Amino acid sequence: MTSIDELIRAAKTQPGIGYATSGVGTQQHFVAEWFAQIAGIKLNHVPYRGGGPAINDLIAGHIRIAFLGPALIPHYKAGNLRLLAQSSETRSPSLLEVPTFLEASVKGLVLDQWLGVFVPAGTPPAIAARLGAAVNTSLADATIHGSFLQSAQEPVGGSAEAFSRLVHDDFEKYGRLVKELDIKGN
């Protein structure tokens, strides 16, 4: 398959095509189920115990499609895999040739993956602020920044308040998606 449209056509003629993820309830699982719902197709989830085994089976041809994260990028850059879409709102600067789901006419599908630093409740504000400043300084370092970009992760940094809003908003989004997509844990 060479495009999201081709994948949708294939799934409409062969309902239940299997897709790999790194496990039940992962961000990739949510993206796949949301994609299937929006596209009006039926896919069959094949959860793996991590991205590595899923990538191996995808490259070997044991599974036809996968919804996985940054671990795919070295295999894509080596020419072993084709990337059809990314779930961010805009294209990653390191994957400018790969469209977003929005650009591939999958309206509304935006689900960013992020990493964050958390501290226990009750941590003195001065210590939390110092840690936040150190993280922001690190993310501004050219080597660290470049390392993140190589794996299609865009280092953002920012304030604790902005990160708290992001976590809260995603908590609400995932809560809604769990119900809408009927995603259940093992």
Side-chain angles (χ1 to χ4, degrees):
M1 285 175 246
T2 60
S3 70
I4 288 294
D5 285 339
E6 190 176 325
L7 171 57
I8 292 170
R9 284 193 303 275
K12 286 185 177 184
T13 60
Q14 306 164 35
I17 294 173
Y19 73 89
T21 69
S22 58
V24 173
T26 60
Q27 188 253 5
Q28 297 86 14
H29 183 199
F30 278 84
V31 169
E33 292 297 323
W34 200 7
F35 161 68
Q37 179 191 61
I38 293 168
I41 59 176
K42 173 69 177 136
L43 298 174
N44 183 36
H45 186 210
V46 181
Y48 280 74
R49 295 180 125 199
I55 292 169
N56 290 341
D57 276 2
L58 182 63
I59 291 171
H62 300 301
I63 190 128
R64 291 178 56 194
I65 58 175
F67 289 78
L68 296 166
L72 286 173
I73 293 170
H75 303 284
Y76 164 70
K77 291 195 175 191
N80 298 322
L81 300 172
R82 182 176 290 122
L83 299 183
L84 303 183
Q86 39 189 316
S87 66
S88 52
E89 188 168 355
T90 59
R91 293 183 188 204
S92 168
S94 60
L95 296 171
L96 290 174
E97 69 283 5
V98 180
T100 66
F101 278 101
L102 295 175
E103 293 171 318
S105 300
V106 184
K107 300 300 180 208
L109 199 162
V110 174
L111 201 57
D112 288 319
Q113 181 175 340
W114 50 261
L115 305 169
V117 178
F118 296 83
V119 296
T123 299
I127 292 174
R130 187 172 164 201
L131 176 60
V135 168
N136 285 327
T137 299
S138 296
L139 292 176
D141 178 82
T143 302
I144 293 171
H145 192 87
S147 178
F148 275 105
L149 288 177
Q150 287 300 312
S151 62
Q153 299 179 71
E154 298 171 44
V156 176
S159 70
E161 294 77 17
F163 182 57
S164 180
R165 280 191 303 277
L166 172 69
V167 171
H168 181 267
D169 291 349
D170 271 5
F171 180 80
E172 288 184 353
K173 181 187 280 187
Y174 277 96
R176 177 180 55 80
L177 289 172
V178 163
K179 292 174 187 163
E180 285 179 14
L181 303 174
D182 195 30
I183 293 179
K184 295 178 177 38
N186 290 359

